[in-house]
Amino acid sequence: MCRNIKTLFNFEPPATGDEIHASALQFVRKLSGFNKPSQANAEAFDRAVAEVTDSARRLLASLHTHAPARDRETEAEKAKERSRLRFG
């Protein structure tokens, strides 16, 4: 799956609309194989991004957990450390 799609659930503060949209855009790009669709495909591409964004927003709103919310800065530091270990 696309490595650029980040986990958006269970963070404090919650994921923003821009983050959800960016994730949906990456997903549709991956599925379609288009970074930027042609004019002939732009309407279908944009509609798919909007539908995936709406679905993702509903999904995030309906999920429940008893785990404490994660901190964005802490998770970013963990990712940097994993990257440093992996790539040197």
Side-chain angles (χ1 to χ4, degrees), residues 32-79:
S32 68
F34 299 134
N35 189 33
K36 184 175 186 331
S38 65
Q39 286 183 333
N41 294 318
E43 184 180 337
F45 185 90
D46 293 341
R47 184 175 53 247
V49 171
E51 290 173 1
V52 172
T53 299
D54 292 341
S55 294
R57 188 175 289 116
R58 284 192 307 272
L59 172 66
L60 292 172
S62 67
L63 295 174
H64 301 282
T65 184
H66 294 291
R70 294 177 283 181
D71 180 77
R72 291 180 188 281
E73 288 80 27
T74 303
E75 294 301 318
E77 287 299 320
K78 288 180 187 178

Side-chain angles (χ1 to χ4, degrees), residues 4-5 8 16-27 29 49 53:
N4 293 331
I5 297 176
L8 299 177
T16 65
D18 288 342
E19 289 173 316
I20 295 169
H21 181 267
S23 179
L25 179 60
Q26 287 290 55
F27 181 72
R29 283 177 173 167
V49 171
T53 299

